[in-house]
Amino acid sequence: MATEGLHENETLASLKGEAESLKGRLEEERAKLHDVELHQVAERVEALGQFVMKTRRTLKGHGNKVLCMDWCKDKRRIVSSSQDGKVIVWDSFTTNKEHAVTMPCTWVMACAYAPSGCAIACGGLDNKCSVYPLTFDKNENMAAKKKSVAMHTNYLSACSFTNSDMQILTASGDGTCALWDVESGQLLQSFHGHGADVLCLDLAPSETGNTFVSGGCDKKAMVWDMRSGQCIQSFETHESDINSVRYYPSGDAFASGSDDATCRLYDLRADREVAIYSKESIIFGASSVDFSLSGRLLFGGYNDYTINVWDVLKGSRVSILFGHENRVSTLRVSPDGTAFCSGSWDHTLRIWA
Amino acid sequence: MTIAALRRLQMPGLAKMERVIVSMQDPDMGIKMRNQRLLITVIPHAMTGNDIVEWLIQKYSISEEESLHLGNLLVKHGYIYPLKDPRSLVLRADDSPYRFQTPYFWTSSKWPATELDYAIYLAKKNIRKQGDLIDHEKDNYNLLHKRINHTWDFVVMQAREQLRAAKQRRKGDRIVIDCQEQAYWLVNRPPPGALNVLEHGPERRNCHISRVQLPENTDYYKREIECCRKAMGRTRVKSSICLEGYIKFNEQYVPHDPIMSGCLPSNPWITDDTTYWAMNAPTVMTPTKLRVERWGFGFSELLGDTLGRRQLLEFLKKEFSAENLSFWEACEELRYGEQARIADIVDSIYQQFLAPGATRWVNIDSKTMERTLEGIKTPHRYVMDDAQMHIYMLMKKDSYPRFLKSELYRSLLAEAIMPPETKKRVFPFMRKQRHSSPSPALLLPTGEPEVKAEDQSKVVAVPMES
């Protein structure tokens, strides 16, 4: 009925208005306790000296754009995935390839190493997340033991195992995140709240907590309670898609990288953005960010083929690393902080130390 | 939404790039343009590669390397084109002449490039070069000829007309127009193998194919309002207090950050020597000083380290409260365990730790015990959360401080090793052989191989399969 439709639209508009005004008031509340800037507090911290990091390994073997990578807990193995569906496990120290599997889809945008080191997870345009146990048996085909775990209604953008091999957290272009039981494929919890594609997620490094953060095309970074599925905190200060989120090592904050060419730091206790890492000469978006072990440095891989290194406390850029010949799509610091790995659309991965 | 606006949404860097280009052409603060000589022809409003690099260095206070990189991006995206050697979109930091691309041909304006336009362009080239096109252009020409054969007469007619009109212009203008067009097509139809700057990932925001609630739905806004209301009532901490936390954390952890402070004896990635990893393996005989120190930073550091947790267990045994750690571990197994085994794990925990007369009975307060016992009637993954938290806090607030003051910990600190720094290699070209290490996937789930202080790795056969 025509009048019903009208009522629906009025409600939608008024709800939208209410949400906007509440968000405005929330920002006012947040601003009340903001009595000092991070770089001011950091004035008494010693400035960083000469910064030298070089490519120590170049991993060649993908025939197409590298989209994602993850480290194994053994600090030297990695898994990487690419546009042509290939997923490779490397011992990046020797640069040997140890396993390879070809997914039945292209654009494998997400991959993760299981905590035990015995399996990997990956997915992309197939809208699924699949788990492959790693086998050294020459007679066994890795693809044969594949387990289809997650099912979304749009592309898989990110995945991560929780504290065990038995649960996976996924983020998808369908606007949701979800927690799955690997063995049965059962959906344990889903997380609704993003207004567009979810592009990234990171689990909080807490012994007690059960939270994670996600970022999306709606420019929002959201912190979730894994148990209840509720959104605990939400931040909306970026001007474009958030491509990457990563917790600060203490768990009290997280950084984000966005298509608006900035990286930002959000403090969870202050409940606000506390730093912006940007430079006028940086034009293209940050695709992937990660902290050094102490959290003093933030590494950002950018779509302009470079890696920018930021002093997290002082807010300044420490260095810019050249080398890749196309977009840097993925970047992770190794588990013991001795190096970081970058993957690029130039088909290669590099280890920097 | 206009095409240009849509383009900018999909490639957010373009808008910023255009702002740079505009400021480069500012009459006061921009690059000083002048006539450039190309053999015998004079081209007006041009600049040298050097001019571009210098201007970027000044404007953004960046190094020459970064300036060259940024300038190259501007050229590769077709906003600046070379007059000499126009087939290669590369910025040279010398006196090579360059010009700003006309906004008509900007990546954001004239997009997407149409097949028809490309056909006309190739046809013009074909006529001028009398059939002698370069490989990929020849291939494309033939392909298009097949594909849009029905309009081919129009294509050739347009090509001829444009060539005729061009002949009437001054040589200088002709060169400029040719270069502009060439640059545009190099960006929009790059030769195979060349960098394609217009490549982008899978489309985002095409959520119409999924059935999730997105901002056209009242539920979405209701959820946002709910989240906002909860957030309003949140306890916040003053920035000055939070930010102090970073300073403290930084002080504590920087010495442990290999990238910031190096690592002893050396960083394996730099020297190819894996001693650092061997010495810090999950279960070594003697841990390093830094590692044992780190156990004192916080309870989660002790608990999170395999060796640290073992030492904690030893300590708790002495205090007759080892069951606390075992209970906590069992609860972790439940929280992160397989869905199908939940009932079994809950029962096992109950039998071992909670049942009256249990062998490893844990001391939880009566309220929590009551709630937990009620909860396990319908077991679920989080049923032990309260009890687990209670025991965790007990260990953290009570046992942990005593552990740090204990004889056990003190002697661990005293016996911990401080490896000497590896002397710098005298002959940098003598690279150490890189040995493989056993893959975790080869290890049996029941145990780990013992790792001695020296590197004991052996080369492992690596079957490749695809």
Side-chain angles (χ1 to χ4, degrees):
Chain A
M1 282 198 36
T3 45
E4 252 174 41
L6 197 65
H7 181 70
E8 171 79 21
N9 279 339
E10 278 176 340
T11 323
L12 190 68
S14 68
L15 277 176
K16 188 171 178 179
E18 194 182 336
E20 286 307 306
S21 92
L22 264 178
K23 278 199 259 190
R25 277 177 49 206
L26 180 60
E27 281 315 304
E28 279 170 25
E29 277 303 306
R30 282 170 162 169
K32 280 183 187 160
L33 289 176
H34 189 56
D35 51 349
V36 72
E37 297 291 332
L38 179 54
H39 63 85
Q40 290 173 300
V41 175
E43 257 156 39
R44 63 181 211 267
V45 178
E46 223 180 282
L48 294 172
Q50 248 291 326
F51 184 83
V52 177
M53 268 188 110
K54 298 189 195 153
T55 301
R56 305 289 174 176
R57 301 286 190 278
T58 306
L59 304 177
K60 298 188 190 173
H62 276 291
N64 216 310
K65 307 181 181 64
V66 176
L67 303 175
C68 187
M69 63 79 45
D70 191 19
W71 287 90
C72 174
K73 283 221 163 87
D74 78 346
K75 308 152 191 175
R76 49 191 282 175
R77 282 174 173 77
I78 62 167
V79 61
S80 59
S81 63
S82 69
Q83 180 193 0
D84 60 3
K86 269 231 167 44
V87 179
I88 302 178
V89 173
W90 319 68
D91 175 352
S92 56
F93 186 71
T94 57
T95 71
N96 288 342
K97 300 181 200 47
E98 294 192 339
H99 307 267
V101 72
T102 308
M103 293 276 286
C105 69
T106 58
W107 290 94
V108 186
M109 294 176 271
C111 64
Y113 224 119
S116 68
C118 298
I120 54 154
C122 51
L125 286 186
D126 57 353
N127 300 0
K128 299 196 215 148
C129 184
S130 310
V131 174
Y132 291 87
L134 296 176
T135 172
F136 277 104
D137 189 340
K138 277 185 217 151
N139 298 323
E140 259 190 49
N141 184 3
M142 245 176 86
K145 289 263 169 103
K146 161 179 162 174
K147 250 185 274 195
S148 222
V149 177
M151 298 263 268
H152 280 279
T153 53
N154 209 332
Y155 63 86
L156 190 82
S157 56
C159 66
S160 173
F161 284 89
T162 60
N163 275 10
S164 79
D165 285 16
M166 293 172 267
Q167 290 179 314
I168 286 198
L169 191 59
T170 58
S172 166
D174 67 13
T176 70
C177 297
L179 182 68
W180 310 82
D181 177 63
V182 172
E183 194 54 48
S184 64
Q186 187 186 342
L187 173 67
L188 300 175
Q189 184 62 262
S190 67
F191 306 88
H192 295 258
H194 274 290
D197 314 23
V198 187
L199 300 176
C200 51
L201 60 80
D202 191 33
L203 281 146
S206 169
E207 220 74 32
T208 57
N210 227 359
T211 61
F212 72 96
V213 62
S214 65
C217 287
D218 57 355
K219 311 175 198 166
K220 289 204 284 197
M222 303 179 78
V223 181
W224 306 87
D225 178 314
M226 269 169 72
R227 179 175 166 174
S228 64
Q230 294 298 309
C231 167
I232 302 174
Q233 278 168 288
S234 181
F235 304 91
E236 202 173 336
T237 62
H238 269 294
E239 293 165 16
S240 189
D241 302 359
I242 298 178
N243 298 312
S244 176
V245 285
R246 194 73 63 210
Y247 272 93
Y248 182 76
S250 73
D252 290 330
F254 68 89
S256 58
S258 159
D259 272 349
D260 67 8
T262 71
C263 296
R264 296 176 197 232
L265 187 69
Y266 297 91
D267 187 294
L268 295 171
R269 293 176 305 166
D271 191 32
R272 57 173 292 121
E273 173 193 291
V274 291
I276 304 182
Y277 308 100
S278 69
K279 219 173 168 342
E280 273 198 323
S281 57
I282 300 174
I283 292 177
F284 287 123
S287 63
S288 193
V289 298
D290 203 355
F291 287 98
S292 72
L293 189 141
S294 63
R296 179 65 190 270
L297 300 172
L298 180 69
F299 299 101
Y302 287 73
N303 289 336
D304 68 358
Y305 324 163
T306 68
I307 294 163
N308 287 285
V309 186
W310 302 93
D311 180 331
V312 170
L313 302 181
K314 292 197 182 278
S316 53
R317 188 184 62 184
V318 170
S319 183
I320 178 168
L321 302 173
F322 299 97
H324 279 297
E325 295 166 9
N326 205 326
R327 293 196 197 186
V328 178
S329 51
T330 180
L331 188 155
R332 296 293 296 262
V333 172
S334 74
D336 63 354
T338 49
F340 72 84
C341 177
S342 60
S344 162
W345 281 19
D346 69 5
H347 308 186
T348 70
L349 294 124
R350 287 171 179 245
I351 309 284
W352 305 77
Chain B
M1 200 185 278
T2 65
I3 295 269
L6 182 67
R7 193 59 168 137
R8 285 202 195 92
L9 187 71
Q10 290 193 334
M11 277 191 77
L14 289 185
K16 285 212 175 85
M17 207 167 241
E18 283 159 20
R19 283 204 285 276
V20 176
I21 291 292
V22 165
S23 62
M24 278 174 114
Q25 294 177 76
D26 182 87
D28 299 315
M29 304 300 291
I31 299 183
K32 296 284 169 282
M33 291 187 271
R34 46 206 132 101
N35 295 344
Q36 286 288 334
R37 197 165 276 278
L38 206 62
L39 292 176
I40 50 164
T41 322
V42 171
I43 314 281
H45 304 301
M47 58 209 159
T48 66
N50 228 10
D51 289 338
I52 297 169
V53 172
E54 283 305 320
W55 188 89
L56 288 170
I57 290 175
Q58 287 307 314
K59 167 89 173 164
Y60 295 115
S61 311
I62 52 181
S63 67
E64 184 172 340
E65 191 179 14
E66 191 176 352
S67 164
L68 192 58
H69 176 86
L70 180 55
N72 248 304
L73 282 178
L74 296 173
V75 173
K76 282 185 165 51
H77 281 80
Y79 287 97
I80 293 175
Y81 60 87
L83 289 165
K84 200 166 61 176
D85 192 13
R87 210 175 283 158
S88 133
L89 289 180
V90 166
L91 177 67
R92 276 178 251 277
D94 53 21
D95 57 4
S96 307
Y98 291 85
R99 253 179 138 259
F100 289 105
Q101 178 66 288
T102 168
Y104 175 76
F105 275 133
W106 276 6
T107 307
S108 58
S109 342
K110 200 159 164 52
W111 172 86
T114 65
E115 278 197 327
L116 192 62
D117 284 338
Y118 191 44
I120 294 169
Y121 170 70
L122 288 177
K124 277 199 292 188
K125 257 196 168 170
N126 198 38
I127 292 169
R128 270 206 335 251
K129 299 210 165 162
Q130 293 162 337
D132 189 25
L133 289 174
I134 51 175
D135 289 321
H136 82 276
E137 284 184 337
K138 200 178 223 131
D139 290 337
N140 286 338
Y141 182 77
N142 292 333
L143 230 94
L144 282 166
H145 185 92
K146 266 196 215 122
R147 208 158 41 218
I148 55 172
N149 194 283
H150 49 285
T151 54
W152 205 253
D153 286 342
F154 174 73
V155 168
V156 175
M157 197 174 73
Q158 273 292 304
R160 288 215 174 100
E161 178 53 37
Q162 287 183 17
L163 283 173
R164 195 195 57 78
K167 273 204 180 83
Q168 313 210 316
R169 310 192 74 136
R170 273 182 23 239
K171 180 140 194 227
D173 289 345
R174 269 214 311 276
I175 292 176
V176 162
I177 290 171
D178 279 347
C179 287
Q180 284 175 344
E181 231 190 356
Q182 169 121 194
Y184 174 77
W185 287 112
L186 279 171
V187 172
N188 284 276
R189 292 282 186 275
L195 179 68
N196 182 357
V197 295
L198 297 186
E199 245 183 340
H200 54 84
E203 238 183 273
R204 295 177 180 175
R205 288 182 210 82
N206 58 347
C207 313
H208 52 273
I209 41 179
S210 52
R211 294 161 306 235
V212 182
Q213 291 154 354
L214 294 168
E216 305 315 307
N217 192 294
T218 55
D219 279 345
Y220 174 80
Y221 290 112
K222 280 193 187 133
R223 244 204 302 267
E224 254 202 337
I225 290 166
E226 177 65 32
C227 193
C228 267
R229 288 223 178 95
K230 271 204 211 126
M232 290 289 279
R234 237 190 121 74
T235 325
R236 274 174 208 88
V237 180
K238 252 200 305 200
S239 287
S240 48
I241 298 177
C242 299
L243 302 180
E244 265 308 310
Y246 295 126
I247 311 297
K248 279 213 184 73
F249 189 85
N250 180 67
E251 243 173 71
Q252 238 183 1
Y253 281 88
V254 160
H256 296 252
D257 185 337
I259 292 176
M260 292 285 297
S261 313
C263 50
L264 301 173
S266 68
N267 188 319
W269 300 104
I270 300 178
T271 60
D272 288 352
D273 177 10
T274 57
T275 310
Y276 178 74
W277 283 333
M279 293 182 104
N280 287 286
T283 47
V284 276
M285 296 286 278
T286 324
T288 63
K289 239 194 184 60
L290 277 177
R291 185 174 178 179
V292 181
E293 262 173 32
R294 206 165 146 179
W295 297 342
F297 287 178
F299 185 53
S300 58
E301 288 284 358
L302 180 65
L303 203 59
D305 182 304
T306 316
L307 211 55
R309 197 186 287 197
R310 229 178 252 190
Q311 297 301 334
L312 175 65
L313 186 66
E314 286 311 305
F315 177 73
L316 292 178
K317 276 185 188 155
K318 292 204 178 101
E319 298 214 322
F320 304 104
S321 58
E323 67 277 358
N324 287 346
L325 182 56
S326 307
F327 175 70
W328 182 85
E329 284 179 332
C331 292
E332 286 288 279
E333 211 194 303
L334 170 65
R335 272 222 289 193
Y336 299 108
E338 207 185 309
Q339 187 68 12
R341 290 193 54 227
I342 289 192
D344 286 341
I345 300 177
V346 170
D347 188 57
S348 158
I349 294 177
Y350 172 74
Q351 297 298 336
Q352 281 185 76
F353 301 102
L354 301 173
T359 47
R360 302 204 276 174
W361 192 80
V362 281
N363 197 355
I364 314 172
D365 68 283
S366 52
K367 253 210 191 101
T368 310
M369 180 65 96
E370 216 180 287
R371 253 204 318 270
T372 308
L373 291 179
E374 187 60 39
I376 63 179
K377 290 184 185 157
T378 45
H380 61 90
R381 185 177 294 274
Y382 304 109
V383 77
M384 296 290 173
D385 271 12
D386 286 346
Q388 184 182 11
M389 183 58 90
H390 179 94
I391 294 297
Y392 180 82
M393 282 307 182
L394 200 66
M395 288 193 290
K396 178 176 174 178
K397 297 264 157 75
D398 202 31
S399 318
Y400 178 60
R402 278 203 303 276
F403 170 80
L404 293 180
K405 295 199 192 98
S406 70
E407 187 52 47
L408 175 65
Y409 184 62
R410 278 188 223 273
S411 61
L412 281 167
L413 267 175
E415 284 156 31
I417 40 180
M418 183 87 134
E421 183 172 5
T422 302
K423 286 215 175 69
K424 286 217 166 69
R425 220 164 283 286
V426 180
F427 301 104
F429 51 83
M430 256 164 53
R431 210 187 66 176
K432 243 194 139 170
Q433 239 227 309
R434 296 172 187 163
H435 292 286
S436 330
S437 70
S439 167
L442 281 173
L443 302 176
L444 297 165
T446 45
E448 305 169 44
E450 227 178 55
V451 181
K452 303 199 182 75
E454 333 94 63
D455 192 6
Q456 280 258 304
S457 41
K458 44 188 197 300
V459 180
V460 175
V462 277
M464 262 289 293
E465 44 184 277
S466 47

